[in-house]
Amino acid sequence: MINPTTNVYRKQLIEGFSIPAVIRNGSYFFVDIDVYADGRVDCWNFEDLAHFKEDVRRGWVVLNIPDNEAISIHGLGSWTITNGSWLFDAESFIDYVLQLIRILNPTLENIYQYRQKVVNGIKIGESANGTVYKEQKRTANDFFPEKIGGESIHLFYKVSEEYHLVKVIIFPDLTIHLSRLEKTVYTTLEEFEELITKGIIVSEVPVHAKVNIHGLGSFTVQKEQYATDIREKLLEVRDIIRELKGEPSSIEVCRTAYQQYLDNPTLENKEQLKSSYEAVPDHQKMYVGDMDTKDVAVRMIIYGEQEIENWSHYRVAKARGEKLPVINLPAPKDESDE
């Protein structure tokens, strides 16, 4: 036996479709689930076709939201709905997904069967963050066009007096596709910003307006729980473009400024932290810190120690009459010198 001295690995490209559905995890969360040619379906669980069917039949994946319940849409908002009209039930949706798999894999070859991985007694799960893409041919007869990866967010596209929940796919060449429509709308960044100015692309929907979700159904907005301002969503789009180009996002810039302040707490670095924090879209400010403190520590440095009162751990401890938690942060050296 000769022991090899060079390690290798290969990546496998598996095509798929992204389709709308709803996850019921206490509340109702709108999602795009990814269906792949090997029979795997990503619906927050990523196992195999048999497990996906179980997820639908047990009500983890649902195809409608009852009237007077709320739909939550990541990064966009939450709305109580009424007059819901939905395309699928559990069995018809399973059949639909099977049809999509057959389109991708007509002979159903090499269908994946899930086997739980256990390493040193620890169960190892998997995730499937599918990459949305467009094809770019290098020549007219290019049989293997380049796949240009993009990132996406949710927004509403107004047509007449109705609203369509669209998937806004942003590409590094400053082109944008509005998908999850019967026909995809192709725009440039400049055209996209103009649609926002005209009120055609929006992040908020008025009460009593009808919302259509292509491939899932429709409903009427009964009440807004909360919604993200469209100006903040545009900042997010510009951030995505920076990341696609390999540049740091506003969140990464803020994290760097935060660490710079901790390493050298001066008034100048405090001001730099403030300007970088305020450049982050409001709905993403929670990500500048860790999972525990969110943006509380950053806000304490910028706006004062009273910001700790907005920390969930602090509020819970106070409500229970327990010892209040603390976050120790250095004051600017310039202030202490004064």
Side-chain angles (χ1 to χ4, degrees), residues 10 19 31 36 49 76 95 120 124 130 160 165 171 182-183 190 205 293 303 319-320:
R10 66 186 178 93
I19 59 174
V31 295
Y36 293 99
L49 189 56
L76 192 56
D95 289 342
N120 296 326
I124 306 298
S160 298
L165 179 59
F171 296 98
E182 190 170 346
K183 291 184 178 180
E190 183 179 356
V205 179
T293 61
Y303 306 120
R320 293 176 176 174

Side-chain angles (χ1 to χ4, degrees), residues 17-19 32-36 40-43 46 128-131:
F17 296 119
S18 185
I19 59 174
D32 286 304
I33 67 175
D34 296 336
V35 180
Y36 293 99
R40 301 193 79 174
V41 182
D42 179 26
C43 52
F46 187 52
N129 296 317
T131 301

Side-chain angles (χ1 to χ4, degrees), residues 85-311:
S85 176
W86 308 97
L87 300 179
F88 298 103
D89 60 20
E91 295 306 317
S92 63
F93 188 68
I94 290 172
D95 289 342
Y96 171 54
V97 169
L98 287 170
Q99 290 177 45
L100 294 179
I101 293 171
R102 286 188 179 278
I103 291 171
L104 296 162
N105 182 357
T107 59
L108 298 181
E109 293 180 316
N110 300 317
I111 294 297
Y112 178 87
Q113 286 189 313
Y114 176 75
R115 293 178 179 83
Q116 189 175 75
K117 296 179 182 178
V118 179
V119 179
N120 296 326
I122 300 173
K123 296 177 182 178
I124 306 298
E126 293 183 70
S127 62
N129 296 317
T131 301
V132 290
Y133 69 90
K134 66 176 181 177
E135 292 187 335
Q136 182 170 290
K137 291 191 174 184
R138 286 156 285 225
T139 64
N141 298 318
D142 189 352
F143 293 106
F144 300 100
E146 182 182 2
K147 287 179 169 56
I148 308 297
E151 295 290 340
S152 65
I153 62 171
H154 305 300
L155 283 171
F156 295 107
Y157 181 62
K158 185 179 179 183
V159 180
S160 298
E161 295 305 313
E162 295 186 355
Y163 295 78
H164 299 263
L165 179 59
V166 292
K167 191 183 188 89
V168 179
I169 308 172
I170 304 107
F171 296 98
D173 61 0
L174 304 186
T175 59
I176 294 176
H177 294 181
L178 308 181
S179 71
R180 208 187 297 115
L181 291 166
E182 190 170 346
K183 291 184 178 180
T184 299
V185 174
Y186 303 96
T187 75
T188 63
L189 176 60
E190 183 179 356
E191 292 166 341
F192 177 76
E193 292 181 353
E194 187 176 344
L195 290 173
I196 290 176
T197 301
K198 292 180 176 178
I200 296 171
I201 296 289
V202 298
S203 60
E204 300 174 76
V205 179
V207 173
H208 307 311
K210 183 177 181 180
V211 175
N212 297 291
I213 306 177
H214 182 66
L216 187 63
S218 64
F219 58 82
T220 300
V221 171
Q222 187 180 73
K223 180 182 178 182
E224 178 188 297
Q225 307 289 342
Y226 71 92
T228 302
D229 190 284
I230 189 62
R231 291 167 294 186
E232 301 300 320
K233 297 303 290 183
L234 182 55
L235 288 176
E236 183 181 356
V237 168
R238 291 171 179 162
D239 242 1
I240 288 171
I241 290 171
R242 281 192 286 269
E243 289 185 284
L244 289 171
K245 289 182 173 182
E247 301 170 2
S249 67
S250 62
I251 294 173
E252 291 168 331
V253 169
C254 185
R255 287 173 179 163
T256 299
Y258 176 48
Q259 188 59 53
Q260 185 172 307
Y261 174 85
L262 294 179
D263 293 340
N264 186 21
T266 65
L267 283 173
E268 181 181 355
N269 285 341
K270 177 182 174 181
E271 284 302 311
Q272 181 61 42
L273 176 58
K274 182 176 186 292
S275 62
S276 62
Y277 175 76
E278 292 177 350
V280 177
D282 286 347
H283 61 291
Q284 294 189 316
K285 282 182 166 64
M286 69 179 76
Y287 302 120
V288 301
D290 57 37
M291 292 182 64
D292 185 22
T293 61
K294 305 291 192 294
D295 59 340
V296 172
V298 172
R299 293 184 63 84
M300 288 172 65
I301 294 169
I302 298 171
Y303 306 120
E305 294 183 358
Q306 75 283 353
E307 289 292 330
I308 197 172
E309 296 174 12
N310 297 312
W311 187 23

